[in-house]
Amino acid sequence: MVTRARRHRPQSTFVVVLLLVSLLLAAVLAYEAIDSARSQRATAEGVLRDYAAFAAEEYTARVARELEYYGVYPILQLLTAMNIGEGRVRLPEPASLGATATPAVQQSLGLVRYLFRSDLQAGTTAVAGDTAAVAPPWLHEALASHARTVYEPDWSSASLLEWRDGVPRLFVYTLHPLPSTSPHVAYGFEADLIELEQYFKAALERAPILPTSLTGRVPFDSVVSVRIASGSGDVLFRFPPGSTRVSPYVAPPAAERVLPARFASLTVRIALQPWAADKLVIGGLPRSRLPLVLGLFLLTAGLIVAALLQLRREHELANMQTEFVSNVSHELRTPLAQIRMFAETLLLGRVRSPGETHRSLAIIDQEARRLTTLVENVLHFSRAERKAVRIAPEMTLLAPLVREVAESFQPLAAVRNVTLVVNAQELVATVDRGAVQQILVNLLDNAVKYGPPGQTVRIAATLHDGSARLTVEDEGPGILPRERDLIWERFWRPEGERDMAVAGTGIGLSVVRELAELHGGQSWVEARRPTGARFIVELPGARPMEDDIDRGRSATQPRTRTSSEPRDQGTMEADIEPRVSSST
């Protein structure tokens, strides 16, 4: 069995290594899955950013053309034709311009709040149009500065955006050169920003920017959102208001482009609407698999950890079983050696007196009783492993049974000079007689083996709330409070006893608890003052003996077995000696 235990350890180590390798492989697979999903998502996001960049580029070019050819150019061309810059013609009223103008000019007039002509040298500005309009005093200075620093010689016009009192104002103008000795004259109009927004929207509506094979026939302004801001970031326009759908991104894919400087360097930002992402990426937008992968990995890790714990438990159990077999072998060998030695002494006639003959026979009887207890315990343990333990409760008089067990155990107690004191009330209980004998023998064996020589062990049977309470008290070192529940487990021994020379199998008290629970009872241990431990077993269904009828019925009852299996001839079913100390 020792060799088998040694072989078991390398096999267990191999299984542990396999489980750890499996955990490592699961971690690698989880990482690869997450990395693959992240790569796929990054690719999809790159495609969407490319779509957004293309849309921003195309839309910015369209806006520039829209403003150039349908907004600014028709009006400024008309003013140039009238020689307004030369000062030869008085500023016309905007309404009069449309009377005989082309449809393009009439459409552009919606942008005009009023016309202005500013002499950049004299610092005067004339206004025509909106009767409520007055040229702001700072206009000529702003125009002069803008003309010197921004306006390029090859431009036909320029736009000046000024924020005053938190309100944006946009001026579109052109410079008309006078003779070389004279300064420039700026003339143009202040744009109506509400009407200007229509030009930005028209750039979306004239033709689709992204492929209709992907977006379908939905309007482009529902595919993207547009934000137009000044160079400093102040937002002028934003449309549509926004989508109510949840975006799969922290921020939707977007791109920014800047209009030419002659259009005030306005910044155009195009962002894809959340629903469009699923259409623009073939196969749909990849969803994050991180929660699922992490969940599966954690589940795998949990299963592997459970397997490791179970393997550790199995290894500990194998070691305990190996120790159990070794201890049983030792327990069997010691009394057998004693029986054989004194039997040979009697057979060879080596006794010198009748007293030595009686002593040899007493030792043989004592060791035979110990063997009987050991064999009965091993049989019970084997049947308990197969769930084959059965009891046959009958009406039993407990006091004579307790005294009988104490009397039969007296020779084993006398070896260590232990005094047994019995205090049993006259009780009648529905119990299995053999099971009660086995309980008491195990408790007495535990008390005598691990208690000090010369101690007094007290056995009691009392009535407590309709239950028979069997008590065995010793004078040993006691049981630590943290170990009072552990001592009832199989193969478990308190730390202090593992270094003791007393042999044992470690299953005695576990058998006591099993038999008590088969009766529907319970067992526990308490500290005893000033030293020692008190083991208590409580069996239900007891009452005081009422008359001699109960006494006679109990006395004639047959001894019952604790299992449905046949009993070996010449042996009595009892429990193995527990390797549990009677210490607290």
Side-chain angles (χ1 to χ4, degrees):
M1 296 304 297
V2 175
T3 303
R4 182 178 179 183
R6 289 176 179 175
R7 290 177 180 176
H8 179 76
R9 178 169 297 177
Q11 293 176 356
S12 300
T13 303
F14 179 70
V15 174
V16 170
V17 171
L18 286 181
L19 290 174
L20 294 178
V21 170
S22 300
L23 181 61
L24 178 61
L25 290 177
V28 171
L29 291 176
Y31 173 78
E32 290 296 330
I34 294 173
D35 185 66
S36 176
R38 183 168 56 244
S39 176
Q40 184 182 6
R41 186 177 181 83
T43 302
E45 290 177 351
V47 171
L48 293 174
R49 284 193 296 269
D50 291 341
Y51 277 121
F54 173 78
E57 189 74 32
E58 180 67 19
Y59 176 72
T60 302
R62 288 188 182 185
V63 167
R65 290 194 300 268
E66 194 77 23
L67 292 175
E68 182 77 26
Y69 296 108
Y70 299 100
V72 175
Y73 181 74
I75 299 176
L76 295 182
Q77 185 183 37
L78 181 60
L79 294 177
T80 301
M82 298 175 65
N83 293 323
I84 296 301
E86 297 285 353
R88 300 174 184 173
V89 178
R90 184 175 178 272
L91 279 175
E93 295 294 331
S96 65
L97 292 177
T100 58
T102 63
V105 174
Q106 292 178 1
Q107 179 182 355
S108 301
L109 288 175
L111 274 176
V112 179
R113 288 189 59 194
Y114 58 84
L115 298 172
F116 67 83
R117 180 181 182 275
S118 180
D119 188 332
L120 302 184
Q121 183 181 23
T124 60
T125 302
V127 174
D130 190 350
T131 56
V134 177
W138 45 263
L139 179 58
H140 66 277
E141 294 181 2
L143 288 172
S145 175
H146 192 267
R148 288 194 306 268
T149 59
V150 179
Y151 200 101
E152 295 292 339
D154 59 340
W155 287 2
S156 61
S157 65
S159 299
L160 170 65
L161 179 64
E162 286 286 327
W163 286 80
R164 299 289 176 168
D165 299 327
V167 178
R169 301 182 71 171
L170 182 66
F171 301 91
V172 181
Y173 72 97
T174 185
L175 293 178
H176 189 80
L178 295 175
S180 59
T181 58
S182 302
H184 290 79
V185 174
Y187 59 93
F189 61 92
E190 181 177 1
D192 187 333
L193 296 183
I194 297 178
E195 290 294 329
L196 183 63
E197 184 176 359
Q198 303 305 317
Y199 285 82
F200 290 116
K201 292 182 178 180
L204 290 176
E205 298 170 353
R206 291 193 183 278
I209 296 179
L210 296 179
T212 56
S213 59
L214 297 177
T215 60
R217 296 186 176 276
V218 297
F220 186 65
D221 59 356
S222 66
V223 177
V224 298
S225 62
V226 180
R227 188 192 70 185
I228 299 176
S230 65
S232 60
D234 297 309
V235 178
L236 296 176
F237 308 106
R238 188 195 303 272
F239 53 89
S243 174
T244 57
R245 295 185 56 180
V246 178
S247 172
Y249 296 92
V250 175
E256 290 186 354
R257 294 294 184 270
V258 180
L259 286 168
R262 65 180 184 273
F263 296 110
S265 299
L266 296 179
T267 300
V268 177
R269 182 179 186 272
I270 294 288
L272 297 177
Q273 295 284 23
W275 71 268
D278 289 327
K279 290 184 174 292
L280 295 175
V281 176
I282 298 176
L285 189 68
R287 304 297 176 182
S288 175
R289 301 297 181 187
L290 182 61
L292 176 62
V293 173
L294 287 181
L296 293 177
F297 174 72
L298 292 177
L299 178 60
T300 303
L303 293 176
I304 291 177
V305 170
L308 290 174
L309 294 177
Q310 186 63 27
L311 185 64
R312 178 184 177 185
R313 175 62 181 169
E314 187 270 340
H315 180 68
E316 293 176 349
L317 183 60
N319 289 338
M320 289 188 294
Q321 289 178 340
T322 301
E323 183 181 359
F324 167 71
V325 174
S326 176
N327 291 337
V328 168
S329 300
H330 177 76
E331 291 281 294
L332 288 172
R333 183 172 55 191
T334 300
L336 283 175
Q338 293 286 334
I339 292 174
R340 182 177 179 181
M341 182 181 67
F342 284 99
E344 288 178 352
T345 299
L346 292 174
L347 288 175
L348 296 176
R350 295 177 181 175
V351 293
R352 291 171 295 183
S353 66
E356 289 185 358
T357 301
H358 182 269
R359 177 174 176 273
S360 298
L361 292 174
I363 291 176
I364 291 174
D365 176 70
Q366 166 191 314
E367 297 303 323
R369 290 174 184 270
R370 182 179 299 177
L371 280 177
T372 300
T373 301
L374 180 62
V375 171
E376 289 293 333
N377 286 327
V378 173
L379 289 175
H380 178 88
F381 175 75
S382 175
R383 288 194 281 270
E385 287 290 309
R386 303 192 308 271
K387 308 295 182 182
V389 178
R390 301 290 185 274
I391 61 173
E394 294 181 351
M395 296 296 294
T396 304
L397 192 60
L398 286 183
L401 179 59
V402 172
R403 286 191 287 268
E404 178 185 342
V405 172
E407 183 179 356
S408 65
F409 196 82
Q410 183 61 46
L412 295 176
V415 174
R416 303 200 65 190
N417 197 26
V418 173
T419 302
L420 301 181
V421 176
V422 179
N423 179 20
Q425 296 181 6
E426 299 295 333
L427 303 176
V428 177
T430 304
V431 296
D432 185 304
R433 183 183 180 90
V436 173
Q437 287 178 331
Q438 195 169 5
I439 289 172
L440 291 173
V441 168
N442 283 341
L443 294 179
L444 288 172
D445 184 73
N446 182 76
V448 170
K449 183 180 294 185
Y450 297 102
Q455 68 170 326
T456 298
V457 175
R458 291 173 172 79
I459 310 105
T462 58
L463 184 65
H464 183 79
D465 293 336
S467 297
R469 178 172 288 185
L470 305 177
T471 306
V472 175
E473 299 180 3
D474 60 43
E475 298 175 354
I479 304 294
L480 295 175
R482 67 173 181 271
E483 296 177 345
R484 290 176 185 174
D485 289 331
L486 299 175
I487 60 175
W488 305 98
E489 297 181 3
R490 296 180 180 181
F491 309 122
W492 192 89
R493 300 179 65 191
E495 295 181 1
E497 293 181 5
R498 296 172 188 174
D499 299 329
M500 296 175 64
V502 180
T505 58
I507 63 171
L509 291 182
S510 67
V511 172
V512 170
R513 171 157 285 185
E514 288 174 3
L515 292 176
E517 291 177 349
L518 286 174
H519 283 85
Q522 55 184 336
S523 59
W524 68 92
V525 63
E526 298 174 350
R528 181 178 177 272
R529 302 297 180 182
T531 182
R534 179 184 294 110
F535 290 85
I536 302 172
V537 176
E538 201 169 73
L539 306 176
R543 58 181 175 84
M545 187 181 66
E546 296 178 352
D547 48 41
D548 292 340
I549 297 178
D550 289 331
R551 183 187 300 272
R553 183 185 300 117
S554 176
T556 58
Q557 288 180 6
R559 296 168 66 95
T560 59
R561 295 191 298 272
T562 61
S563 171
S564 59
E565 297 185 3
R567 179 175 299 183
D568 296 338
Q569 185 175 2
T571 64
M572 179 182 67
E573 295 182 356
D575 191 50
I576 205 163
E577 296 167 332
R579 293 180 62 85
V580 180
S581 171
S582 56
S583 59
T584 50

